[in-house]
Amino acid sequence: MDAYEVLEKLGSGSFGTIRKIVRKSDKKVLVWKEIRYGRMNEKEKSMLVSEVNILRELKHPNIVRYKDRIIDRESSTIYIIMEFCENGDLASVIRKYKRCGKRVEESRIWTLFFQIACALHECHCRKQKILHRDIKPANVFIDRNNGFKLGDFGLARVLSTETQLAKTNVGTPYYMAPEQVNELPYNEKCDIWSLGCLLYEMAALAPPFEAANQLALAVKIKAGRVSRLPEQYSEELNQAVRSMLQLDSAKRPSIEDLFKLPKMQEQAEIAV
Ligand SMILES: CN(C)CCCNS(=O)(=O)c1cccc(Nc2nc(OCC3CCCCC3)c3[nH]cnc3n2)c1
């Protein structure tokens, strides 16, 4: 650990504390996520190792880059070192828009849509499919060029056990797909549902389903009633979001389907 200087705590992600650090060798600013594995059983520990090994393979401009890991056996803590995103997380941006009573530009929402879809494409279309499982505003980061990056890929599977959830602050699962509520098997269409929730919240500045407790939330999700985006947003964006929030996961579009949308094709031309 002495290769790094620890700066301030940035926040607590869903599975551990995230701190800003500086690599002493080249003064590069990075972050590390501290994951305590002391209370994990052998199975969970081996899953954690395999998830971290998946992370290190994921190299994509819209996925927070994994840099290194340090295992401290004394404190049973693994430190996952990742790139630092200078412009913070999307949850803070949404809170700021809400405070100022301003709406996000539609073009910015299409950029988010395209860039996170690219991140999901990288993972859903690999031979060994990787599911994110925890797409939400606090897990989308903004780099110095205002590019969007999806964080914490794949860690959700191993860390969603009660040992981790019990220990760290876990918010209300606003973005949980209906099949998850019914505890059915998870597939990539759950990530599509969460992407729909993310875009909905970027436009409406509130999640599509809100309730006072998890039970009431589950009822609302299973009812699946989604009000239209605020009227300033186009029918095209509204329909795209609604298509991702269909209760029947088979009816939700795949990432490939989403890239066929005209506005997504336009982004692809700009991005080249
Ligand atoms: C002028 N403003 C627009 C700038 C605001 C920007 N302030 S800031 O202080 O640098 C700032 C604030 C928060 C995040 C970041 N960057 C960051 N955060 C991570 O996790 C912490 C996050 C904290 C909130 C909850 C979810 C997890 C990362 N994980 C991987 N890479 C990461 N990069 C930077």
Side-chain angles (χ1 to χ4, degrees), residues 8-14 16-20 30-33 64-65 80-93 95-96 136-142 146 149-152:
E8 75 267 28
K9 171 178 172 180
L10 285 173
S12 38
S14 13
T17 306
I18 296 145
R19 297 183 194 283
K20 194 172 175 179
L30 297 161
V31 305
W32 74 25
K33 176 191 281 280
V64 170
R65 182 62 56 85
I80 296 179
I81 295 153
M82 299 175 273
E83 72 176 296
F84 172 68
C85 298
E86 292 76 2
N87 276 310
D89 67 290
L90 193 61
S92 309
V93 170
R95 278 195 298 272
K96 196 181 69 188
K136 58 186 180 183
N139 230 342
V140 172
F141 299 99
I142 301 144
N146 275 330
K149 293 179 185 259
L150 196 45
D152 277 3

Side-chain angles (χ1 to χ4, degrees), residues 113-171:
F113 188 173
F114 180 73
Q115 293 184 355
I116 300 304
C118 289
L120 285 178
H121 181 264
E122 172 66 20
C123 296
H124 289 182
C125 302
R126 288 165 81 96
K127 58 191 176 311
Q128 205 227 358
K129 197 175 285 194
I130 300 172
L131 305 182
H132 188 280
R133 298 180 151 69
D134 196 19
I135 295 167
K136 58 186 180 183
N139 230 342
V140 172
F141 299 99
I142 301 144
D143 67 11
R144 65 160 66 99
N145 310 317
N146 275 330
F148 293 106
K149 293 179 185 259
L150 196 45
D152 277 3
F153 240 104
L155 278 181
R157 188 208 337 251
V158 66
L159 299 175
S160 55
T161 53
E162 67 291 336
T163 44
Q164 288 304 323
L165 291 186
K167 276 213 331 252
T168 55
N169 65 323
V170 182

